[in-house]
């Protein structure tokens, strides 16, 4: 586990409210100030990831030392043009070598990579959003983070559990 790091993962769709945004902002700023978190890992494909990136980007104006890292689950090798495009929103990006060839499990394995490299996990999880015919990727990642004994902050429809 790397200290001073945090990752985000959650459902593709969320109940996005002003209260959720305010609470996320408070939690992220507390991690920076009290826990000395400097690096934030982001995935893709969910509104929760996008929202957290927006919030961390805004907070970065106040704490310019923090880093936003995009952990890719697609495109192990990228062009300089695409890298430059990504670095407009992130401070760095990488594709974990160990997920090459993962097939359909690539997003799950990418989330495991982010969890393994984080001290804290901020998760948007709501049982009512989960599919009924299989375990959701968010639930798989959350169970893994619990098993790895990460410090987890779960948010769902305006409630936060730490």
């Amino acid at each position: 586990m790397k200290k001073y790091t945090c990752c985000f993962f959650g459902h593709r769709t969320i109940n996005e409210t002003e209260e959720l945004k305010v609470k996320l902002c408070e939690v992220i700023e507390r991690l920076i100030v009290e826990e000395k978190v400097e690096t934030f890992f982001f995935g893709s494909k969910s509104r929760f990831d996008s929202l957290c990136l927006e919030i961390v980007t805004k907070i970065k104006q106040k704490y310019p030392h923090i880093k936003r890292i995009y952990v890719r689950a697609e495109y192990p090798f990228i062009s300089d043009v695409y890298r430059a495009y990504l670095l407009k929103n992130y401070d760095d990006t990488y594709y974990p070598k160990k997920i090459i060839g993962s097939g359909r499990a690539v997003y799950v394995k990418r989330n495991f990579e982010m969890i393994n490299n984080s001290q804290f996990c901020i998760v948007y999880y709501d049982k009512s959003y989960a599919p009924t015919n299989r375990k959701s990727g968010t639930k798989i990642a959350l169970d893994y983070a619990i098993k790895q004994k990460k410090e987890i902050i779960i948010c769902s429809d305006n409630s936060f559990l730490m």
Side-chain angles (χ1 to χ4, degrees):
M1 162 178 57
K2 294 186 178 184
K3 291 187 81 158
Y4 315 119
T5 55
C6 176
C7 69
F8 303 95
F9 57 90
H11 299 298
R12 286 181 190 238
T13 57
I14 61 173
N15 182 18
E16 190 172 330
T17 64
E18 280 307 309
E19 188 177 350
L20 174 65
K21 292 176 190 178
V22 168
K23 190 66 175 170
L24 276 169
C25 192
E26 289 171 358
V27 166
I28 293 166
E29 190 162 8
R30 184 188 64 76
L31 289 176
I32 294 166
V33 173
E34 295 177 16
E35 303 293 341
K36 309 296 184 227
V37 170
E38 298 174 342
T39 303
F40 294 90
F41 294 107
F42 299 88
S44 58
K45 304 290 185 199
S46 84
R47 178 58 192 142
F48 186 66
D49 288 318
S50 302
L51 176 61
C52 291
L53 176 61
E54 290 167 18
I55 291 169
V56 171
T57 298
K58 188 174 181 181
I59 291 173
K60 187 172 171 68
Q61 294 172 5
K62 186 174 179 181
Y63 304 98
H65 69 284
I66 64 174
K67 302 284 185 249
R68 300 158 301 168
I69 311 295
Y70 174 47
V71 184
R72 299 188 316 274
E74 298 171 325
Y75 313 115
F77 308 101
I78 58 174
S79 69
D80 290 341
V81 172
Y82 186 51
R83 174 176 281 285
Y85 168 76
L86 291 175
L87 296 183
K88 289 179 182 178
N89 294 309
Y90 300 95
D91 299 296
D92 201 2
T93 181
Y94 76 98
Y95 184 97
K97 286 183 171 78
K98 64 176 87 169
I99 71 171
I100 291 175
S102 296
R104 291 180 57 194
V106 72
Y107 292 100
V108 170
K109 290 189 176 183
R110 186 272 316 274
N111 287 345
F112 289 0
E113 167 79 10
M114 293 192 314
I115 293 164
N116 289 339
N117 286 305
S118 295
Q119 178 181 4
F120 298 92
C121 300
I122 299 179
V123 184
Y124 188 96
Y125 178 72
D126 187 319
K127 288 180 189 175
S128 67
Y129 286 39
T132 55
N133 59 339
R134 62 177 172 79
K135 201 174 203 182
S136 76
T138 300
K139 178 66 169 146
I140 291 168
L142 177 57
D143 289 347
Y144 182 79
I146 292 168
K147 185 177 177 184
Q148 299 303 310
K149 298 181 173 34
K150 300 298 174 172
E151 297 181 54
I152 302 167
I153 300 156
I154 300 175
C155 49
S156 67
D157 292 349
N158 306 321
S159 66
F160 280 71
L161 302 169
M162 300 172 143

